Amino acid sequence: MDKKIAVIRGDGIGPEIVGEALQVLDDVAKLYGHEFTYDDVDMGGCAIDKWGDPLPQEMLDKCVASDSVLLGAVGGPKWNDVPGPMRPEKGLLRLRAGMGVYSNNRPAKIWPQLAAASPLSPAIVEKGIDFIIVRELIGGIYFGKHETVEENGELKAIDELTYTESEIERIGRIGFETARKRNKQLCSVEKSNVLDSSRLWKKVMHKLAEEYPDVILTDMLVDNCAMQIVKNPSQFDVIVTENMFGDILSDEASMITGSIGMIPSSSLGSSSCGLYEPIHGSAPDIAGTDIANPIGTILSAAMMLKYSFDMPKEADCIEKAVSAVLDAGYRTADIMPTDVEEAQKCVKIGCKEMGKQIRLHLRKEK
Ligand code: IPM
Ligand code: MG
């Protein structure tokens, strides 16, 4: 199959990790007889520097016209003083909205090889960590009115949070469908003891539940959920939640699996053209030093193959190669065990070498 992939290398470690993922995709294409072509797209800080805009319209057009988008990471201290609407992150938000990708899927799954890297106690980790956060991605407080006004001689900042029934319903359906394909347990997370938008969220979820009698729906307040994720993560199968709660909980969930550097994500809307990105940021402090972990991006490319290109075998091959490399003891700095004895059994490698090892194993896993 021929597929056109829009590639956003972005800022910080973005270019390094995306470079490794593209080489993995090239090898997969050769092994399975596909052709992937890449269309480079400027977004984020680098686009501000080059075009004075974090996402120029023609860049968004390229993404929308592609078969899918692979993104590294955007942002960094260099653009900290740029005004709100021109910030690198704004490019990402405009991309998500412009592509209409309302459903962000963030798996929190522990790799058995990395159990020792989890900050949770072994007794909790042993019970298993394998859940998915379905995060609403193009609504809520991220997309409400943002303004700072002067009132009574001081500044006042306003961020508006709205959700309509239809916005909640479409993400709710993804939550139920995802749970249906797994262990049929959906936890809807909100703050209905305080927020109107959460009360509507809860109401819509329960109405939808009537259409999915095979799925068990539970409700959880977001603060309690943050606690339960570290106390007893094995209770979760699928969590569905609004944009900002999903942002926060997915960072927490990633950390208990060992490292945020391992976690991929997919964002989809009503077409098969998706946006695939690791959930970590641009880590400007380690950019250019070859110590970043490219696995989150490589696994995001695997998700692209599976969810947008209908290539499950190819995706599986990448996942198995990653697992084999971890079995062989190769670790980037972020996933090195903290225990000295455990660390001696591992080989610390950089970003490029990690990409290379994964590519070497692709052939064996096919
Ligand atoms: C994420 C990031 C983004 C978000 C930022 C960079 C705007 O934290 O993808 O989780 O908040 O959605
Ligand atoms: Mg985040």
Side-chain angles (χ1 to χ4, degrees):
M1 259 192 271
D2 287 3
K3 294 288 176 192
K4 193 162 93 190
I5 302 171
V7 176
I8 306 175
R9 294 168 204 265
D11 310 313
I13 58 170
E16 299 163 55
I17 53 179
V18 169
E20 295 312 314
L22 294 185
Q23 291 187 62
V24 168
L25 282 174
D26 281 340
D27 282 13
V28 167
K30 270 186 223 133
L31 283 172
Y32 289 87
H34 302 302
E35 188 160 350
F36 300 143
T37 49
Y38 309 116
D39 195 6
D40 263 297
V41 170
D42 298 322
M43 188 186 88
C46 58
I48 297 175
D49 290 350
K50 205 159 150 191
W51 309 102
D53 181 342
L55 182 67
Q57 184 62 42
E58 62 262 42
M59 297 294 162
L60 173 60
D61 294 344
K62 280 194 198 192
C63 294
V64 174
S66 71
D67 291 313
S68 267
V69 181
L70 182 67
L71 162 65
V74 296
K78 185 174 170 198
W79 303 281
N80 270 356
D81 297 326
V82 173
M86 277 294 145
R87 288 186 61 85
E89 291 80 1
K90 197 71 192 179
L92 178 57
L93 301 188
R94 270 166 39 201
L95 176 67
R96 290 171 177 170
M99 291 180 70
V101 288
Y102 61 85
S103 168
N104 181 217
N105 174 329
R106 301 188 159 186
K109 185 175 176 174
I110 197 148
W111 293 79
Q113 303 94 326
L114 300 183
S118 172
L120 297 186
S121 73
I124 297 177
V125 175
E126 268 159 30
K127 284 166 68 189
I129 302 175
D130 180 5
F131 62 96
I132 289 183
I133 297 181
V134 174
R135 169 188 176 194
E136 199 292 323
L137 203 59
I138 56 175
I141 200 162
Y142 276 56
F143 291 89
K145 190 163 87 183
H146 304 288
E147 65 174 349
T148 306
V149 294
E150 214 179 311
E151 203 177 273
N152 302 326
E154 63 174 351
L155 293 176
K156 177 169 122 180
I158 307 156
D159 296 296
E160 182 190 51
L161 162 53
T162 70
Y163 268 109
T164 62
E165 284 178 282
S166 55
E167 283 175 322
I168 300 171
E169 191 187 315
R170 66 182 179 180
I171 191 68
R173 285 195 186 283
I174 304 288
F176 279 102
E177 300 288 345
T178 309
R180 188 169 256 179
K181 290 187 206 123
R182 293 174 44 104
N183 293 328
K184 301 187 171 50
Q185 294 186 41
L186 181 64
C187 180
S188 162
V189 172
E190 28 69 9
K191 188 72 184 170
S192 56
N193 53 349
V194 178
L195 303 175
D196 252 59
S197 57
S198 282
R199 284 188 276 273
L200 183 60
W201 181 279
K202 190 169 170 181
K203 193 170 147 198
V204 173
M205 289 297 158
H206 281 269
K207 181 133 191 296
L208 268 180
E210 292 166 14
E211 291 179 45
Y212 299 88
D214 51 324
V215 175
I216 299 169
L217 173 71
T218 51
D219 306 295
M220 197 178 275
L221 295 173
V222 63
D223 46 351
N224 183 29
C225 183
M227 180 174 78
Q228 296 297 332
I229 284 177
V230 288
K231 193 176 160 209
N232 179 17
S234 70
Q235 71 184 286
F236 295 112
D237 179 26
V238 179
I239 288 174
V240 63
T241 192
E242 64 99 65
N243 203 345
M244 187 160 73
F245 297 159
D247 176 46
I248 298 167
L249 294 177
S250 62
D251 267 32
E252 185 193 12
S254 71
M255 204 52 226
I256 63 167
T257 69
S259 169
I260 194 169
M262 297 291 297
I263 313 286
S265 81
S266 67
S267 304
L268 285 155
S270 52
S271 81
S272 66
C273 174
L275 169 63
Y276 296 85
E277 51 176 319
I279 79 158
H280 61 72
S282 63
D285 50 324
I286 58 164
T289 59
D290 193 40
I291 60 174
N293 184 350
I295 296 180
T297 317
I298 290 171
L299 293 174
S300 299
M303 280 183 118
M304 174 188 289
L305 300 181
K306 190 160 160 187
Y307 296 121
S308 284
F309 300 168
D310 197 21
M311 299 178 183
K313 280 201 304 286
E314 292 81 338
D316 209 41
C317 176
I318 297 179
E319 281 163 18
K320 282 192 184 140
V322 169
S323 188
V325 169
L326 296 176
D327 281 339
Y330 291 109
R331 302 281 187 275
T332 42
D334 58 311
I335 48 175
M336 276 298 281
T338 38
D339 182 86
V340 181
E341 249 174 65
E342 287 295 319
Q344 272 164 2
K345 296 182 208 151
C346 297
V347 189
K348 192 165 154 187
I349 57 174
C351 179
K352 285 200 184 84
E353 185 62 27
M354 182 55 93
K356 188 175 150 198
Q357 287 299 331
I358 292 169
R359 293 198 300 279
L360 285 174
H361 278 86
L362 280 179
R363 288 172 193 83
K364 296 184 201 149
E365 300 304 328
K366 194 196 159 188

